[in-house]
Amino acid sequence: MQTRRSFLINTAVFGAAAGTGIGLPATSFAKAHMVGTQAAGFYRMKLGDYEITALSDGTVKLPMSKIYQNMAENEIDTYLTDRFHSGAAEVSVNAYLVNTGERLVLVDTGTGDLMGPALGKLVSNIEASGYKPAEIDDVILTHIHADHSGGLVSGDDRVYKNAILHVNRREAEFWLKAKAKAKADQVLGPQIAQAERCLGPYVDAEKLETFDDNGAPLPGFASVLLSGHTPGHSGIIVESKGEKIVFWGDVAHGDVLQYDHPDVTVAFDVDQNAAAATRATAFAEAADGRYLVAGAHHAFPGIGHVRRDENNYDWVPLVYRAVY
């Protein structure tokens, strides 16, 4: 009969033998290969009766210390380094799918093929999350920059063939009815060409509808004009059973520096002063209202709350839930 003492002695002897190879056959295992790919980029949550799926288009390394404006580059670099964001920061590009039970509504569409292989993953992540692009009823853009509208097309074809595209009216006019001088501008010109390429097939198919400042893109969805980053940049507001989320688009680029320094802008802002003023207002309203916000360039899934702190504001990301 084996006692606890003899079991422990035998276990120790076996362990020693295994470690030295004495009296036991040698065992080898093949090295595990490194997969080299990330998990599918989607995250689901409930908002009242609605289901919201955060979708990753991928990430891109950007030299944020050079992109941020209105603060000395060395100060920006020190700030980011202290928060482990030094050098080329990994910036998320996010989009969001809202299932109301009656309609599937996509907010922003990622980059498509415009910004390299680390991005352009939105369609594959839509499919991984259990949907198909053809099932989407409506697409709403927060604005028409390439990382929000690039995924509208594949080549010259509409990706969302059954969807109506909704864009703020002044945003659509700024990019799609640009004058010759704007088209000749070295910065704006290429962006205008991209906008025409990405939205053109929807215009041609009579699938583009515009909404007024602070107007409703479609029933059950509201908007708030957040101009500055672009003229018609808009937050998209969704509410259900007393719960609220605002899809912010590019109110903030990242989730650190601009929360302490809302006056810091980015090189992509069409109107730097207006963008800073809009951000300060948006932060204050989100902190006071305690509602959820979703940022297109916050670390995926980009959903969280804004709170006030001793340095201005702080970003509080949503806690992961395995079951909602």
Side-chain angles (χ1 to χ4, degrees):
M1 177 178 178
Q2 187 179 46
T3 65
R4 179 174 180 274
R5 176 180 172 79
S6 63
F7 172 80
L8 291 173
I9 292 172
N10 290 339
T11 301
V13 171
F14 178 84
T20 60
I22 298 173
L24 293 172
T27 304
S28 63
F29 297 94
K31 291 182 179 179
H33 72 284
M34 295 186 183
V35 178
T37 56
Q38 191 54 272
F42 70 91
Y43 177 77
R44 249 189 282 276
M45 58 167 282
K46 287 284 281 186
L47 186 89
D49 288 331
Y50 296 171
E51 182 180 80
I52 294 174
T53 305
L55 297 158
S56 174
D57 189 58
T59 62
V60 59
K61 289 184 180 296
L62 294 176
M64 294 307 297
S65 61
K66 298 183 183 299
I67 291 171
Y68 285 129
Q69 309 285 301
N70 204 29
M71 188 176 185
E73 185 176 330
N74 64 324
E75 292 180 41
I76 295 171
D77 197 53
T78 298
Y79 181 100
L80 295 177
T81 298
D82 287 347
R83 289 155 182 81
F84 305 100
H85 285 258
S86 60
E90 202 75 44
V91 178
S92 292
V93 177
N94 308 321
Y96 300 92
L97 187 63
V98 182
N99 186 339
T100 69
E102 297 179 353
R103 302 187 74 79
L104 278 176
V105 181
L106 180 65
V107 181
D108 288 335
T109 68
T111 63
D113 62 1
L114 296 178
M115 297 179 68
L119 293 167
K121 303 180 185 303
L122 190 67
V123 168
S124 64
N125 284 324
I126 288 173
E127 292 171 345
S129 77
Y131 297 106
K132 294 180 174 61
E135 296 176 306
I136 293 173
D137 299 295
D138 300 274
V139 176
I140 306 173
L141 297 184
T142 58
H143 62 298
I144 302 180
H145 273 161
D147 52 330
H148 299 258
S149 64
L152 284 170
V153 294
S154 177
D156 295 324
D157 297 327
R158 286 177 288 125
V159 170
Y160 305 100
K161 296 184 181 297
N162 298 315
I164 301 296
L165 175 62
H166 305 267
V167 185
N168 172 278
R169 179 174 285 111
R170 74 167 71 201
E171 183 75 2
E173 290 178 352
F174 180 82
W175 296 106
L176 301 181
K177 296 182 180 180
K179 299 187 183 301
K181 182 179 179 181
K183 290 184 177 183
D185 185 88
Q186 290 186 347
V187 175
L188 280 180
Q191 296 179 52
I192 292 168
Q194 287 176 347
E196 292 174 339
R197 178 206 160 194
C198 295
L199 275 73
Y202 293 82
V203 174
D204 294 342
E206 299 184 342
K207 293 278 192 176
L208 174 65
E209 295 183 2
T210 59
F211 56 91
D212 293 331
D213 296 347
N214 305 311
L218 62 151
F221 288 71
S223 74
V224 55
L225 182 65
L226 300 170
S227 61
H229 182 60
T230 63
H233 180 273
S234 297
I236 307 304
I237 304 168
V238 176
E239 297 186 69
S240 177
K241 282 196 166 179
E243 298 181 31
K244 175 179 176 179
I245 188 169
V246 181
F247 299 101
W248 252 1
D250 286 5
V251 165
H253 285 75
D255 44 34
V256 287
L257 178 63
Q258 289 175 306
Y259 282 88
D260 285 340
H261 302 278
D263 56 327
V264 169
T265 57
V266 293
F268 316 123
D269 291 333
V270 173
D271 185 329
Q272 303 272 324
N273 292 334
T278 289
R279 180 165 34 261
T281 299
F283 283 177
E285 290 181 351
D288 293 343
R290 299 180 64 84
Y291 49 75
L292 285 167
V293 297
H297 301 303
H298 289 56
F300 182 77
I303 301 173
H305 291 93
V306 179
R307 72 177 185 92
R308 298 179 188 273
D309 66 10
E310 64 277 6
N311 296 319
N312 248 328
Y313 297 96
D314 189 24
W315 170 250
V316 184
L318 196 69
V319 174
Y320 176 84
R321 295 181 65 178
V323 179
Y324 65 64

